[in-house]
């Protein structure tokens, strides 16, 4: 089990020791991270996963990202004189997909009950855990920021349960509201979140704040099982999920760079950095132009990732830096985690709220904040990623996987918005081209 928090890793290991499988352990660890690292993830956000199933010896992809409100259109933003969707408040909130993602993974691959899986996170939420250095620092910046905006329930969710103040590093932190929410999810399944009591609380709250998420948006939400896509890089098959995520950008960068012989190029040299940066620029220009929800636009994945297209793009790389016109898209803070079990099943899982803690919208007494992923839509009409009702926004969080000769080689991912396709490329190159160990 590899996660960003030792207690989450320990819980994953405990689940495995007690007869659970990789999926059980991953859900348990992710629920724990939602509690212990609320500055990067939680059940107010979305989830993506790639699973290597030890039984079928096959890869499965899960897109558990949520959609925009069905009764909100680009007209509203134009009427309000907005040229971009705000970072915070009710307008960037899309349906949170993580909980449905857990249940999809669990139904297909899980073995233990959700009551057993969520029990450790519930216990820590109720009784408390020591806050780590980085999360304490992020919270000391984020919580006062949301308070300064006048968003409701911030104090109640993050301070009042802890004697009215934010815990410092090493102090015990509790979230009894989240314990109750997890209990309800464990007992009543995903429907309590999307059709029942929790959905009702969220919808009522968002309406009061001037947002548009409706009961229908929650009730109609579903995750999608998708076929992972791959390229071969010097004998290794690198797998990503198709858009609305940005995973194929890593495949595009790698395919461009495969045309250079890095055995003669020193790691970290001017030449290495130049070629890498130029390949990234080219891939990110395509990202800005094409990547979006495939239910709404035709993303030409089969044109963008093959060698023929990479060969054409490579010709644009000169001796000097080229222009970069794809603009800036995103902010970071995410959790990535991976688990493998003794049956050979491996899960590469990434989960996030966006912009750290999210939108600032904390529904009353539920213990978590909703994501602001809808900020990533474009308000320019006619683009692939233009805002539309019921559409999934362009997404930065991407799990990855590598196979060699049809067998698992590496389950991996990184954190941090725009950096992720670059990070994936660097890890692959560092291991394969520059012979670094894991």
């Amino acid at each position: 089990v590899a996660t960003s928090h030792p207690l989450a890793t320990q819980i994953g290991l405990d689940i495995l020791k007690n007869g659970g499988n990789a999926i059980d352990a991953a859900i348990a660890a992710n629920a724990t991270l939602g509690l212990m690292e609320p500055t990067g993830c939680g059940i107010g956000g979305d989830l993506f996963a790639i699973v290597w199933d030890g039984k079928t010896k096959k890869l499965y992809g899960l897109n558990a990202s949520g959609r925009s409100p069905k009764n909100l259109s680009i007209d509203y933003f134009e009427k309000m004189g907005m040229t971009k969707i705000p970072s915070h408040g009710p307008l960037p909130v899309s349906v949170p997909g993580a909980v449905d993602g857990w249940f999809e993974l669990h139904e297909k691959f899980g073995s233990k009950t959700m009551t057993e899986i969520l029990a450790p996170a519930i216990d820590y939420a109720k009784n408390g855990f020591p806050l780590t250095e980085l999360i304490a620092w992020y919270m000391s910046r984020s919580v006062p920021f949301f308070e300064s905006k006048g968003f409701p329930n911030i104090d109640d969710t993050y301070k009042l349960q802890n004697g009215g103040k934010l815990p410092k590093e090493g102090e015990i932190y509790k979230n009894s509201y989240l314990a109750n929410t997890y209990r309800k999810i464990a007992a009543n399944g995903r429907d309590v979140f999307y059709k029942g009591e929790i959905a009702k609380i969220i919808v009522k709250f968002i309406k009061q704040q001037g947002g548009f998420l409706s009961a229908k948006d929650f009730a109609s939400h579903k995750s999608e099982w998708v076929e992972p896509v791959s390229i071969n890089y010097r004998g290794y098959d690198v797998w990503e999920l198709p858009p609305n995520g940005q995973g194929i950008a890593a495949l595009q960068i790698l395919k461009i760079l495969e045309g250079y012989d890095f055995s003669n190029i020193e790691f970290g040299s001017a030449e290495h950095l130049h070629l890498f940066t130029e390949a990234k620029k080219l891939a990110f220009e395509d990202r800005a132009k094409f990547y979006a929800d495939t239910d709404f636009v035709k993303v030409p994945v089969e044109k963008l990732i093959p060698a023929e297209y990479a060969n054409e793009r490579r010709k644009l790389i000169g001796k000097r830096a080229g222009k970069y016109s794809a603009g800036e898209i995103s902010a970071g803070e995410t959790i990535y985690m991976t688990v493998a079990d003794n049956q050979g099943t491996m899960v590469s899982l990434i989960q996030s709220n966006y912009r750290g803690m999210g939108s600032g919208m904390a529904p009353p007494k539920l213990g978590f904040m909703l994501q602001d992923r809808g900020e990533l839509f474009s308000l320019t009409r006619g683009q692939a990623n233009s805002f539309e009702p019921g559409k999934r926004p362009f997404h930065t969080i991407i799990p990855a996987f590598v196979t060699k000769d049809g067998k698992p080689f590496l389950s991996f991912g990184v954190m941090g918005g725009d950096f992720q396709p670059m990070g994936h490329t660097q890890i692959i190159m560092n291991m394969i081209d520059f012979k670094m160990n894991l």
Side-chain angles (χ1 to χ4, degrees):
V1 182
T3 83
S4 47
H5 197 297
L7 291 177
T9 299
Q10 187 61 61
I11 282 167
L13 290 171
D14 288 344
I15 295 269
L16 292 177
K17 286 179 195 169
N18 292 327
N21 65 22
I23 300 301
D24 302 328
I27 297 167
N30 187 196
T32 306
L33 290 166
L35 164 71
M36 296 183 179
E37 301 200 347
T39 51
C41 69
I43 55 171
D46 285 342
L47 178 154
F48 292 83
I50 296 177
V51 179
W52 173 271
D53 179 33
K55 284 196 197 107
T56 58
K57 305 281 189 278
K58 185 173 167 323
L59 277 179
Y60 298 83
L62 182 68
N63 178 337
S65 63
R67 295 159 182 84
S68 61
K70 289 188 173 71
N71 57 353
L72 177 60
S73 74
I74 220 162
D75 303 348
Y76 173 84
F77 295 104
E78 288 176 348
K79 261 191 218 121
M80 301 296 285
M82 294 179 182
T83 53
K84 86 179 270 307
I85 296 173
S87 307
H88 301 100
L91 293 177
V93 179
S94 46
V95 177
V99 171
D100 188 62
W102 289 351
F103 280 87
E104 284 289 331
L105 287 165
H106 185 257
E107 196 179 322
K108 204 172 183 76
F109 301 109
S111 67
K112 283 189 167 298
T113 65
M114 282 302 263
T115 307
E116 290 173 280
I117 290 168
L118 294 180
I122 292 166
D123 189 54
Y124 272 119
K126 183 171 164 260
N127 297 311
F129 61 92
L131 207 59
T132 55
E133 178 184 12
L134 185 65
I135 304 307
W137 181 78
Y138 274 137
M139 288 188 78
S140 72
R141 296 172 77 222
S142 303
V143 172
F145 167 77
F146 291 125
E147 286 174 319
S148 74
K149 293 258 187 199
F151 293 145
N153 310 321
I154 300 296
D155 249 26
D156 191 35
T157 303
Y158 300 104
K159 283 182 171 178
L160 291 181
Q161 301 177 69
N162 293 281
K165 64 179 182 52
L166 268 183
K168 293 186 171 63
E169 175 196 344
E171 290 182 350
I172 296 298
Y173 182 67
K174 295 177 185 173
N175 190 338
S176 57
Y177 296 156
L178 189 61
N180 290 336
T181 299
Y182 280 174
R183 256 190 225 106
K184 285 170 186 159
I185 292 168
N188 305 303
R190 53 90 63 205
D191 280 2
V192 75
F193 192 91
Y194 292 97
K195 295 176 179 174
E197 181 191 345
I198 297 169
K200 287 190 181 83
I201 292 169
I202 296 172
V203 167
K204 183 182 173 192
F205 171 68
I206 285 293
K207 286 227 165 82
Q208 285 168 347
Q209 296 305 307
F212 291 84
L213 271 188
S214 68
K216 196 173 156 194
D217 293 323
F218 271 80
S220 63
H221 174 75
K222 59 184 193 304
S223 301
E224 186 186 359
W225 288 99
V226 296
E227 288 290 329
V229 292
S230 73
I231 53 121
N232 186 276
Y233 186 76
R234 309 193 203 280
Y236 294 81
D237 292 306
V238 184
W239 297 87
E240 299 276 357
L241 297 181
N244 52 318
Q246 61 173 342
I248 62 167
L251 305 184
Q252 286 194 254
I253 298 169
L254 282 166
K255 219 57 199 160
I256 292 169
L257 291 170
E258 197 178 26
Y260 301 99
D261 179 5
F262 281 92
S263 65
N264 303 319
I265 299 170
E266 196 187 333
F267 173 80
S269 64
E271 190 178 4
H272 169 207
L273 297 183
H274 170 64
L275 295 174
F276 179 87
T277 307
E278 294 304 299
K280 176 259 173 183
K281 288 179 191 173
L282 293 169
F284 273 43
E285 279 168 14
D286 285 341
R287 180 186 83 152
K289 188 172 170 187
F290 296 115
Y291 298 12
D293 186 349
T294 50
D295 287 350
F296 284 75
V297 291
K298 174 97 179 85
V299 184
V301 176
E302 57 294 329
K303 180 202 147 189
L304 294 173
I305 62 175
E308 297 73 38
Y309 182 66
N311 296 343
E312 287 306 305
R313 299 294 273 167
R314 197 181 304 112
K315 290 174 189 165
L316 300 172
I317 298 178
K319 291 273 182 238
R320 301 185 74 77
K323 284 201 168 64
Y324 175 61
S325 56
E328 212 180 307
I329 285 193
S330 66
E333 286 99 56
T334 294
I335 64 97
Y336 174 80
M337 51 172 285
T338 179
V339 182
D341 66 24
N342 61 3
Q343 304 300 303
T345 294
M346 300 163 79
V347 54
S348 179
L349 186 149
I350 197 157
Q351 207 262 302
S352 168
N353 278 3
Y354 193 57
R355 278 200 186 276
M357 288 186 84
S359 60
M361 297 288 98
K365 306 212 175 337
L366 292 183
F368 66 89
M369 190 178 283
L370 294 160
Q371 66 182 356
D372 41 0
R373 197 55 74 167
E375 185 198 344
L376 287 177
F377 281 117
S378 164
L379 290 182
T380 305
R381 288 177 185 267
Q383 294 183 343
N385 187 44
S386 299
F387 185 93
E388 290 178 69
K391 184 176 183 178
R392 293 173 294 196
F394 167 83
H395 237 287
T396 52
I397 62 173
I398 51 175
F401 206 89
V402 183
T403 56
K404 189 167 182 2
D405 305 324
K407 295 191 178 77
F409 175 76
L410 181 66
S411 169
F412 81 108
V414 298
M415 309 179 200
D418 282 332
F419 167 70
Q420 292 190 29
M422 297 154 65
H424 287 196
T425 304
Q426 286 172 328
I427 286 171
I428 297 298
M429 289 184 73
N430 288 353
M431 291 178 73
I432 296 167
D433 292 316
F434 299 114
K435 309 287 184 269
M436 295 187 193
N437 63 25
L438 197 54

